[in-house]
Amino acid sequence: MGETVEAVRVPAGPRRFAYDSGEPAVAEVASGTSLVFETLDCFSNLLTSPEQRFRTEAELIELVGAFNPVSGPVAVRGAVPGDALAITVERVSLGARAVTVLHADPELDLPYGDTRVCPIEGDTVWFPTSRGRLALPARPMIGTLGVAPAGPAFPSLLSHGRCGGNMDCQALRPGSVLVLPVEVPGGLVSLGDVHALMGDAEITGTALEAPAEVTVTVELLPGLGRAMAGPYLDEPHRIGAVGCAHGVSVDHNLRSAMTELRRRLVEECGYLPGEAYELLGAVAEVTVNQCVHGGWSSVHAAVPRYVTS
C-alpha cells in the first residue's frame, strides 16, 4: 500500500495583505499536494459584537488595520513563469460566526452604521433582523485566491487581471478548479476572505464574512500559462473564465472573460473562431461577482460542459 500523505497546513498568521513576489514562501510543496489554509475573516476576526458600529471606513480601518488578510504564500516546486497552477477546492469548513458591516448612511436610516453578527450552526447562518432571526442556507465560497505578480505587488483587497486575488467568484467553492498563470518561480499561492454567503455583485462591499479552514489541492500544469490572459474557473458542469482587472468597468471585465472563454473553445475544444463566438451567444452564462463603488468589478463567464465534449 502507498503511503498516506498528510495535507500541509498553512497558518492564518502573521497577517499578510498583499500578493508580492518578494514575500518568502511559508512552505514549498510538490505538485499534487493538498493544503489546508487557516483563514481569518476579512476583518481579521476583530468584529464580534453588533455594538461595534462605524460611521466611516476610516473608523473601521483604525480597528482592523487593513482588509482581507491572506494566508500563505505557498510555493509549488518546479513552477516557473509560463506554467499554470490548477487549484481544486476540496472543502470549506466555516467558523462559528459570520459578520457583515455597513457604514453610516442617512438614506438607509443608519446614522451610526450597522454590524450584524450571524451565528453559524451546521449548514445554517442565523441572520438577525428586526423581525427575528432568518435561517439562511450557508453556501461557503472563497473570496480571495491568487498568485504573486511578476510586476509590482498588489493588495489582497484588490484583484489582478492575470493573477486573481479578490475576485469574489460565487463559483469558487468546493468542487471547482481555479487555474492561474504562473508569473514568478513557485507561483506563490495565497488564500483568504471566505464568505459563508454572498449575493451576486456583492453590492454592499461585504458578504457574510467568516473565518474558515479551506482544503485545496494544487497541481502544476507546465506551459499552459503562456496562452492564458486571465484565470480559468471550471466547475463539474461548466468551464469558464474570469475577468477581474481592478479599476475597470463591469463591461470591460465581461468582455475579457468572454474573449478568454472563446479562445478556450477554439484551442481546447477544436471549434472554429466563428463557431465559438456563436456558441457563446447561444449558451454562455454570466455572473457578476462584484459591482462595487470604487473600482471593484469581477465577472465569471461559463459554458456547459456538454458543448466541450
Side-chain angles (χ1 to χ4, degrees):
M1 295 179 64
E3 293 185 9
T4 300
V5 179
E6 290 191 10
V8 174
R9 297 191 72 86
V10 183
R15 295 188 303 163
R16 291 182 51 256
F17 296 96
Y19 287 90
D20 184 351
S21 62
E23 188 76 25
V26 300
E28 182 182 73
V29 301
S31 175
T33 300
S34 290
L35 304 167
V36 180
F37 285 88
E38 302 170 358
T39 67
L40 306 175
D41 70 27
C42 77
F43 306 116
S44 296
N45 294 4
L46 294 174
L47 300 188
T48 58
S49 167
E51 301 304 313
Q52 293 174 284
R53 294 179 293 179
F54 306 92
R55 293 176 185 266
T56 65
E57 183 176 288
E59 290 183 359
L60 180 53
I61 287 287
E62 187 175 345
L63 173 67
V64 303
F67 299 128
N68 268 35
V70 289
S71 304
V74 174
V76 178
R77 195 172 302 123
V80 296
D83 294 340
L85 297 176
I87 304 167
T88 301
V89 183
E90 310 286 358
R91 183 167 58 255
V92 179
S93 301
L94 297 172
R97 56 105 185 98
V99 63
T100 193
V101 171
L102 289 174
H103 306 306
D105 188 336
E107 291 186 9
L108 297 175
D109 193 25
L110 294 174
Y112 306 106
D114 189 68
T115 299
R116 307 268 162 155
V117 178
C118 308
I120 299 173
E121 298 176 357
D123 295 329
T124 300
V125 182
W126 291 98
F127 188 87
T129 79
S130 59
R131 298 173 52 185
R133 296 199 308 172
L134 291 178
L136 304 179
R139 296 185 69 232
M141 53 162 284
I142 302 166
T144 302
L145 177 55
V147 293
F154 67 95
S156 54
L157 183 60
L158 307 185
S159 56
H160 183 286
R162 271 178 58 83
C163 296
N166 186 25
M167 299 177 290
D168 281 336
C169 290
Q170 291 238 31
L172 192 50
R173 61 178 72 253
S176 69
V177 181
L178 179 68
V179 183
L180 295 166
V182 172
E183 291 202 350
V184 301
L188 298 181
V189 179
S190 299
L191 183 155
D193 184 34
V194 171
H195 302 161
L197 200 61
M198 188 188 88
D200 289 350
E202 199 191 27
I203 59 169
T204 65
T206 58
L208 295 188
E209 312 283 347
E213 287 193 353
V214 181
T215 303
V216 303
T217 301
V218 60
E219 294 186 52
L220 177 61
L221 304 176
L224 179 63
R226 285 192 290 270
M228 296 176 65
Y232 301 166
L233 181 53
D234 297 348
E235 302 160 273
H237 63 297
R238 305 189 300 180
I239 70 166
V242 182
C244 56
H246 184 74
V248 302
S249 66
V250 170
D251 177 71
H252 182 284
N253 277 328
L254 172 59
R255 290 180 182 276
S256 296
M258 285 292 194
T259 299
E260 189 72 345
L261 187 52
R262 182 181 64 187
R263 188 188 62 76
R264 291 189 70 185
L265 288 173
V266 173
E267 296 186 6
E268 296 177 21
C269 304
Y271 290 109
L272 298 173
E275 294 172 335
Y277 196 36
E278 289 169 329
L279 275 172
L280 292 180
V283 300
E285 301 168 354
V286 171
T287 302
V288 176
N289 307 308
Q290 291 174 324
C291 184
V292 181
H293 176 73
W296 280 266
S297 72
S298 168
V299 176
H300 180 219
V303 293
R305 283 194 183 271
Y306 62 73
V307 305
T308 69
S309 58

